[in-house]
Amino acid sequence: MAEEAQSRAHAVYDVALGGGDGAGGKLMVTRGTGRRVREALGEVLESLAGGGVLYVDVRGVELMDYSFADEALGILASRVAAGEYGDRRVVLVEEDRELLENIEASLRQRSLAMVRVDEPGATPEIVGEVPEHLVETLQAIYDAGSISNADLAARLGVNHTACNNRATRLFKLGLIHRRKNTAAPGGRQYFYEGIV
Amino acid sequence: MSTQLELNVRRKGAMSGVLTIGSLDPAFAMAREVEGGMAVLDLSAVEFVEPAGLCGLASLLEFLIPRSRLVGLRFSGHNVTAYLERMNFFKIFGHRVETNADVAALEERRRGNPGTLQELINFHSEGEIPGIINRISEILTNKDYRLRERAAICATLSEICANAVEHGRSPFGAYAAVQAYQHIVSGPRRGERQGEEVLVAIADGGVGVRETLLRNPAYVEHTGSDNDALRHALKMGVSGTGEVGRGGGLAVVGQIATRAGGSLSLRSGSGRVTYYGDRTNSRNVPDFPGAFVRVSLPRKAASSQPPAVSKSKKPIAKSR
């Protein structure tokens, strides 16, 4: 993993425990409950430094319904994708349980995706929907750890502009980090890296 | 003037003596004719009430009581009244109707009902739902339901309860009841399954499904009839507001029910639609004031449960 990624600020929010604001619980149902959890998550996300990553740990939750999943995580993902939290990112920490289906259904409805890990440090996976033509790009970036636009373009066999467009889309969906390297030979160049 | 409301209770077969939502059809058809007079509902042919019949009966009474001088209920025998008492029916309606049942005596003999997962409950807001779910989850845990069964029942109940109060704008809020039965199996492939079935029923007295979907101009072609609207409401992402992310609850409940080998039935206005996963049945019925949902969740032996769904397994990097 790139050193750059490891130095980024991160926080873990355990949804079952809540943030000491009474928003936690093992049975997560209704939009009202989801809204309270999303507001708590939003506060933690805003408190992070730029480029920071919030791990949303739902492993302690026994069950959630679609309404909760959409309100807490679907809307949060849509706000991250809309740039409301700048370049801060969200990662879902959850094992492959049926509970994930509600999150999957919500993200698919919204044509969004989140990065998911079984536990912090585990292999990242995608929950939700990534446009087919971006999947290969996403995999190439995560496999590389950190990669320049030129190297990524070469690996994918596409021109620099097409490569940049694809990566920019992934960046806006909140699935990767992007940084500018102005000292690169031949002028400024983007570097991309995974968020976990 | 007194109106005698009729019921359609079967006298033969597996559903003999059972009060279902369909049993109440003739009564709903006649209920609109009761204008300030007395209405009498004769339940003496009823031997057994399922949650759908219970919620339907509650809806019928909520419709009748404000339109009648007096509503009378006639019972015969103790079994049904004892069951209704255990399901909190007389606690809610005892003082609002006239009945030949000795309610005080029933209260004295009151005892637990092994299959009851949720007595008839009246609720008005989304804020009440987490409490309802916490309670049924505890009951299911004490009865040794597995986590995934508990999750299926709780997610179904919460989602449909939320729909009822969100779209309801109902004068009486909504009613829900949940009951587990041994060896009663409904739905397709009757006879293949043995064991237990959990029935979830919810009724509200709101504007109904078609009216809710009509708020969204995009659905004009799918709301020609109540049955059209019900079939459309089952689809992912269909909601009255049209906001992205909305309208997923009912579709997910349909998936949960059919994966368990059960079904999801909707009733609103003159429509009645039952979804089995691979097919959908619809027919026209007497007008139901509001919306009604019934979910059947058969319980299977642990060994015949499908494995946890892994369709979301999409690694984006080599294993670490």
Side-chain angles (χ1 to χ4, degrees), chain A residues 62 65-67 96 98 128, chain B residues 148 150 158-159 245 310 314:
Chain A
E62 287 187 344
D65 64 3
Y66 174 86
S67 291
D96 195 7
E98 277 176 30
Chain B
R148 54 187 311 186
R150 189 152 56 90
S158 68
E159 207 64 73
S310 228
K314 284 169 287 187

Side-chain angles (χ1 to χ4, degrees), chain A residues 178-183 188-191:
Chain A
R178 183 178 74 176
R179 65 190 164 86
K180 207 180 275 180
N181 186 350
T182 47
R188 66 187 174 84
Q189 165 151 249
Y190 281 125
F191 275 76

Side-chain angles (χ1 to χ4, degrees), chain B residues 81-157:
Chain B
T81 47
Y83 171 76
L84 290 177
E85 170 61 21
R86 289 197 297 269
M87 290 299 276
N88 280 349
F89 177 81
F90 291 110
K91 201 167 125 191
I92 295 170
F93 287 105
H95 59 290
R96 299 171 68 193
V97 299
E98 194 190 70
T99 171
N100 64 343
D102 186 349
V103 177
L106 290 170
E107 278 172 18
E108 279 172 26
R109 294 189 305 159
R110 193 183 163 104
R111 61 194 157 81
N113 186 358
T116 300
L117 301 177
Q118 173 64 62
E119 293 90 359
L120 185 66
I121 187 173
N122 181 224
F123 59 100
H124 295 84
S125 69
E126 195 203 56
E128 296 169 66
I129 297 171
I132 295 171
I133 298 303
N134 273 301
R135 190 171 162 272
I136 193 170
S137 174
E138 199 179 311
I139 292 169
L140 293 168
T141 305
N142 291 337
K143 288 178 185 286
D144 293 328
Y145 279 69
R146 292 185 294 274
L147 173 61
R148 54 187 311 186
E149 294 172 326
R150 189 152 56 90
I153 296 165
C154 290
T156 296
L157 183 63

